[in-house]
């Protein structure tokens, strides 16, 4: 250990003995717990703004291509299941609620309540990914995943496809039918990036459940739970826009 | 230190579970409404209504679940700047696309 560090350490020790009291979680470069919480909250929001720009680019691409290749986007969106998408929306909105309740439990120093809320949020998140897996596997089965094996069958010959037939789709010209691949590219890019955010969130939730059981967030220091809550709600908001834009607006 | 704590810009506000519950119900009603509206043929209004409902839901989440309603002016300004910048960028992109003959082949 370098000498200067040792001196700083011992000076720190002396200061603590001399009545420089503060909670263990308050970093020394902050004046107060409140200032530390405000700064961390601000940083989290700045990160979320970069995320808004990231997903915003995808939404803009979707908006422009949907206007260019409108018939292809309408027919391709008929391939998505509204019951499954709607059910996933319920799961995600409820998980946002349980997360918000988790933040409340942490603030009220209710340890078991916090653990319960985090576990429920984790289960609802996993449920969402489970339903997404069912939806994705159906796309693989029907060769609706953009690739060399992409199949135009549902769009050139809608009577052969249950979903297309139910929506009353008319056979499409080949050059327009080919643009359904653009829809599915954007579908997989947007829902895939959203699912990746969910997976990262679920991993952090798992970590938080262990820490919460050890009482880490119920001793007055709730910043981590609060900021994770912001992230989780942001992911919820992305889905609130994805669901109508991908599943609903071309349905009637 | 306790003196300085009082200089903090805002008191830490704890949102009650009742508010969270009310927002959950509002979000679920909004979801039901948007699914129902999508089956009614309203022409160009369909995407507009869907986006209006989605924006309302997102605003509720930001204000209450994300505590922005009870946050400091700095947080409120940050959120506003983000939304404003996003809309500006979308607006500029669209201005470019609709003022050219791109995609008209």
């Amino acid at each position: 250990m370098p000498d200067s560090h040792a001196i700083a350490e011992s000076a720190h020790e002396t200061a603590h003995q001399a009545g420089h009291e503060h909670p263990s979680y308050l970093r020394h470069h902050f004046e107060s717990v409140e200032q530390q919480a405000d700064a961390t909250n601000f940083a989290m929001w700045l990160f979320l703004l970069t995320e808004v720009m990231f997903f915003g680019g995808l939404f803009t691409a979707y908006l422009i291509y949907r206007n260019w290749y409108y018939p292809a986007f309408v027919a391709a969106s008929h391939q998505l299941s509204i019951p499954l998408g709607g059910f996933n929306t319920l799961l995600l909105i409820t998980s946002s609620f349980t997360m918000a309740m988790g933040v409340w439990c942490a603030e009220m120093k209710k340890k078991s309540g916090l653990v319960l809320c985090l576990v429920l949020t984790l289960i609802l998140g996993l449920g969402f990914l489970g339903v997404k897996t069912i939806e994705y596997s159906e796309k693989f089965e029907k060769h609706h995943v953009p690739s060399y094996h992409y199949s135009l069958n549902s769009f050139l010959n809608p009577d052969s496809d249950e979903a297309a037939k139910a929506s009353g789709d008319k056979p499409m010209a080949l050059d327009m039918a080919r643009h359904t691949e653009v829809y599915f590219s954007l579908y997989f890019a947007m829902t895939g990036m959203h699912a990746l955010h969910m997976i990262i969130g679920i991993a952090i939730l798992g970590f938080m459940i262990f820490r919460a059981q050890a009482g880490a967030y119920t001793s007055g220091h709730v910043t981590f739970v609060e900021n994770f809550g912001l992230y989780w709600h942001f992911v919820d908001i992305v889905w609130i826009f994805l669901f109508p834009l991908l599943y609903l607006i071309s349905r009637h | 230190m306790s003196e300085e704590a009082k200089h903090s810009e805002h008191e830490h506000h704890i949102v009650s579970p009742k508010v969270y519950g009310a927002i959950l119900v509002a979000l679920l009603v909004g979801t039901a409404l948007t699914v129902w509206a999508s089956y009614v043929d309203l022409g160009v209004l369909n995407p507009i209504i869907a986006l209006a409902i989605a924006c309302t839901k997102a605003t509720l989440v930001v204000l209450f679940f994300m505590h922005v309603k009870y946050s400091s002016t700095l947080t409120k300004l940050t959120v506003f700047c983000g939304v404003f910048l996003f809309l500006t960028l979308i607006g500029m992109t669209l201005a470019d696309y609709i003022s050219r003959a791109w995609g008209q082949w």
Side-chain angles (χ1 to χ4, degrees), chain A residues 7-200:
Chain A
I7 291 164
E9 278 288 288
S10 69
H12 185 195
E13 284 300 309
T14 321
H16 274 263
Q17 283 155 14
H20 161 76
E21 291 298 330
H22 64 78
S24 59
Y25 49 81
L26 176 62
R27 302 280 186 249
H28 278 111
H29 47 279
F30 290 113
E31 286 273 339
S32 62
V33 172
E34 287 75 14
Q35 191 198 40
Q36 175 173 283
D38 284 352
T40 320
N41 184 261
F42 180 49
M44 191 65 204
W45 272 106
L46 287 184
F47 166 67
L48 291 184
L49 290 200
T50 69
E51 293 273 79
V52 169
M53 295 307 143
F54 172 70
F55 279 101
L58 289 168
F59 278 110
T60 310
Y62 180 79
L63 178 66
I64 288 164
Y65 278 115
R66 185 172 185 272
N67 278 303
W68 278 7
Y69 308 134
Y70 183 73
F73 271 53
V74 169
S77 79
H78 290 165
Q79 294 294 319
L80 302 187
S81 159
I82 290 186
L84 288 180
F87 180 62
N88 252 356
T89 310
L90 294 188
L91 288 183
L92 212 51
I93 285 175
T94 315
S95 85
S96 248
F97 171 72
T98 57
M99 189 61 227
M101 287 305 296
V103 173
W104 180 77
C105 287
E107 279 164 341
M108 304 303 281
K109 305 190 178 177
K110 296 175 190 293
K111 193 175 108 178
S112 55
L114 171 63
V115 173
L116 175 69
C117 284
L118 293 179
V119 169
L120 284 175
T121 310
L122 183 104
I123 292 171
L124 290 164
L126 285 175
F128 177 92
L129 289 176
V131 174
K132 209 76 220 139
T133 313
I134 297 170
E135 292 188 83
Y136 274 14
S137 62
E138 193 240 0
K139 296 283 161 290
F140 276 92
E141 279 163 22
K142 289 171 94 170
H143 292 280
H144 284 163
V145 183
S147 70
Y148 182 71
H149 299 286
Y150 187 76
S151 163
L152 294 172
N153 195 34
S154 311
F155 312 108
L156 295 176
N157 185 12
D159 283 342
S160 69
D161 184 294
E162 224 171 281
K165 200 175 175 183
S167 311
D169 286 353
K170 301 272 175 291
M172 218 180 286
L174 180 64
D175 61 340
M176 185 50 85
R178 280 178 54 231
H179 292 311
T180 55
E181 206 171 353
V182 178
Y183 173 88
F184 284 112
S185 298
L186 284 165
Y187 168 77
F188 278 104
M190 294 167 101
T191 60
M193 281 318 300
H194 178 263
L196 178 65
H197 279 77
M198 297 278 302
I199 292 167
I200 293 169

Side-chain angles (χ1 to χ4, degrees), chain A residues 31 38 56 104 107 226 252, chain B residues 4 10 12 15 41 66 86:
Chain A
E31 286 273 339
D38 284 352
W104 180 77
E107 279 164 341
E226 242 182 344
H252 50 275
Chain B
E4 259 142 24
H10 63 105
H12 187 78
V15 185
D41 190 355
M66 296 170 98
F86 172 59

